[in-house]
Amino acid sequence: MATDTNPIDYVYKAKDKKGTITKGEISALNDVAARKELRSRGVKIITLKKKPKDLLGPRKQAIVTKDICIFARQLATMLEAGVPLVQSFDIIGKGHENASMAELILGIKVDVESGDTLGQALKKRPLYFDDLFCNLVEAGEQAGVLEGLLDKIATYKEKSESMRAKVKKALTYPIAVIVVAFVVTVILLIFVVPVFDDVFQSFGAELPAFTQLVVEMSDWMQVNWWIVVGVLIAFVKTYSFVFKRSEAFRHFVDRTMLKIPIVGVIIEKSAIARFARTLSTMSAAGVPLIEALDSVAGACGNIVFYDGVKSMQDEVSTGQSLQASMLNANIFPHMVIQMVAIGEESGSIDSMLDKVADFFEEEVDNLVDNLSSLMEPMIMVILGTLVGGLVVAMYLPIFQMGAAVG
């Protein structure tokens, strides 16, 4: 029997005096006390057991970028409302639906209570808070405008996540089309064509060349389908392995992606938008340009732009203007360079970069919508060609026999 003074939550199933089955929850020191309480209510207990742990609170889930975006927005809102920092962590952490995120937030709270600045506490968790996030928080703490900087961080994170989702959509759509077409073709070859092949053999006539080709493909696929699956799995795993470990291969992939029609344009414009949005946010926070460009390079999301921004950083460190370094990098459209030049001359580079980011984000949005509209008829054409081709191949012998009889 439990001697713990903390009540335990139980779930029960019982039958009342009228014979109606009821379910509910009850808290008691132990199961004996719980049963006694239920009997005092005049019900007959059918089942009584402890409430499962996963029902006692939020479940642990992986922490994703969206969680960090929401955290930044909530913290900014709390501070702007005048809620003290430590109390803000307590409110956000205890109210979070994701137990992993709640644990992370309350851990940051403990570090801040122990004397760390918010920036120092965040730097202890690089898996969730990148250099850009930490640098902006530190700049806000030093300048005494933490709530304003957190609002900018939240806006930046939200827009960056939205941009990443749009690019992901643009990349996955064509891949999804190819996968669907491949799966449909394999299903037809393995399950449908053999049925027709049995019928054709009963005819005893010579098959047309196209039909014979499809039948042979079907025969091969039925026997060697595991080779196809194995090759696909090996390709995916090899690609992932090499991409993670080979910088030269990553360079090749990123450069190749920029050359793909439509998709390449989307990737290029999204990289420019991220460049402008990140540099604008850091400039508004008062982060020195050379230091800011280091974070901006990693935020672009493409190795071509990473290398270009790093070369710009080297030139700026030697006294070159941002406009001139962008011109030398040869990766930015003329309009972007001119907007930066105007911003440098007027002292409003952060607002100019904001306008550039807004423009290119809208461009990416339109391109993704256009790609989606374009892919729909392409899906129909590809699937129609594959399925239609196989159908024609299967019915050619029947048509031939009909013509011969006629």
Side-chain angles (χ1 to χ4, degrees), residues 92-139:
I92 297 169
K94 290 182 178 178
H96 212 287
E97 294 180 356
N98 184 350
S100 298
M101 192 65 196
E103 187 178 312
L104 174 69
I105 294 169
L106 295 175
I108 296 171
K109 173 196 166 189
V110 171
D111 288 344
V112 172
E113 286 178 322
S114 301
D116 284 349
T117 64
L118 178 56
Q120 290 170 337
L122 296 180
K123 281 187 174 180
K124 292 179 180 179
R125 298 158 176 86
L127 187 62
Y128 309 111
F129 303 99
D130 54 23
D131 290 340
L132 172 63
F133 197 115
C134 297
N135 290 340
L136 289 175
V137 167
E138 286 187 333

Side-chain angles (χ1 to χ4, degrees), residues 62-313:
I63 297 174
V64 295
T65 307
K66 185 179 178 181
D67 292 323
I68 304 300
C69 292
I70 294 172
F71 164 68
R73 175 61 66 197
Q74 288 176 323
L75 189 57
T77 303
M78 290 281 184
L79 294 179
E80 286 174 356
V83 181
L85 183 62
V86 173
Q87 188 178 347
S88 298
F89 286 130
D90 203 45
I91 295 169
I92 297 169
K94 290 182 178 178
H96 212 287
E97 294 180 356
N98 184 350
S100 298
M101 192 65 196
E103 187 178 312
L104 174 69
I105 294 169
L106 295 175
I108 296 171
K109 173 196 166 189
V110 171
D111 288 344
V112 172
E113 286 178 322
S114 301
D116 284 349
T117 64
L118 178 56
Q120 290 170 337
L122 296 180
K123 281 187 174 180
K124 292 179 180 179
R125 298 158 176 86
L127 187 62
Y128 309 111
F129 303 99
D130 54 23
D131 290 340
L132 172 63
F133 197 115
C134 297
N135 290 340
L136 289 175
V137 167
E138 286 187 333
E141 287 181 307
Q142 291 169 8
V145 290
L146 180 59
E147 61 272 14
L149 258 297
L150 280 169
D151 181 67
K152 289 184 180 295
I153 293 170
T155 301
Y156 166 77
K157 284 285 185 182
E158 288 161 359
K159 289 184 177 292
S160 296
E161 185 63 16
S162 174
M163 182 64 57
R164 187 177 289 107
K166 290 170 185 173
V167 175
K168 185 178 179 181
K169 179 183 177 182
L171 294 177
T172 54
Y173 210 162
I175 295 172
V177 174
I178 294 170
V179 170
V180 169
F182 176 79
V183 170
V184 169
T185 304
V186 170
I187 290 173
L188 290 173
L189 288 174
I190 294 178
F191 298 104
V192 178
V193 174
V195 176
F196 281 89
D197 187 29
D198 293 339
V199 176
F200 297 153
Q201 288 180 9
S202 67
F203 292 165
E206 185 178 349
L207 297 176
F210 184 37
T211 305
Q212 186 62 43
L213 174 64
V214 172
V215 169
E216 289 175 359
M217 288 173 58
S218 174
D219 292 340
W220 186 90
M221 186 65 72
Q222 290 176 68
V223 176
N224 301 298
W225 61 269
W226 58 273
I227 296 178
V228 176
V229 174
V231 168
L232 287 174
I233 294 173
F235 173 79
V236 172
K237 288 189 173 294
T238 302
Y239 176 88
S240 178
F241 179 85
V242 176
F243 188 83
K244 290 178 181 177
R245 290 163 177 78
S246 173
E247 186 176 346
F249 184 68
R250 287 197 300 273
H251 273 73
F252 170 76
V253 171
D254 280 3
R255 292 181 189 279
T256 303
M257 293 294 285
L258 288 173
K259 296 175 183 178
I260 299 175
I262 303 178
V263 173
V265 177
I266 292 174
I267 293 173
E268 180 184 5
K269 289 183 183 293
S270 67
I272 294 171
R274 282 196 290 262
F275 164 85
R277 182 70 65 194
T278 308
L279 188 56
S280 168
T281 305
M282 300 200 78
S283 176
V287 179
L289 181 58
I290 297 173
E291 184 180 337
L293 286 173
D294 194 49
S295 296
V296 171
C300 288
N302 185 279
I303 199 71
V304 174
F305 281 85
Y306 176 86
D307 290 343
V309 174
K310 293 299 284 186
S311 69
M312 287 165 51
Q313 184 185 26

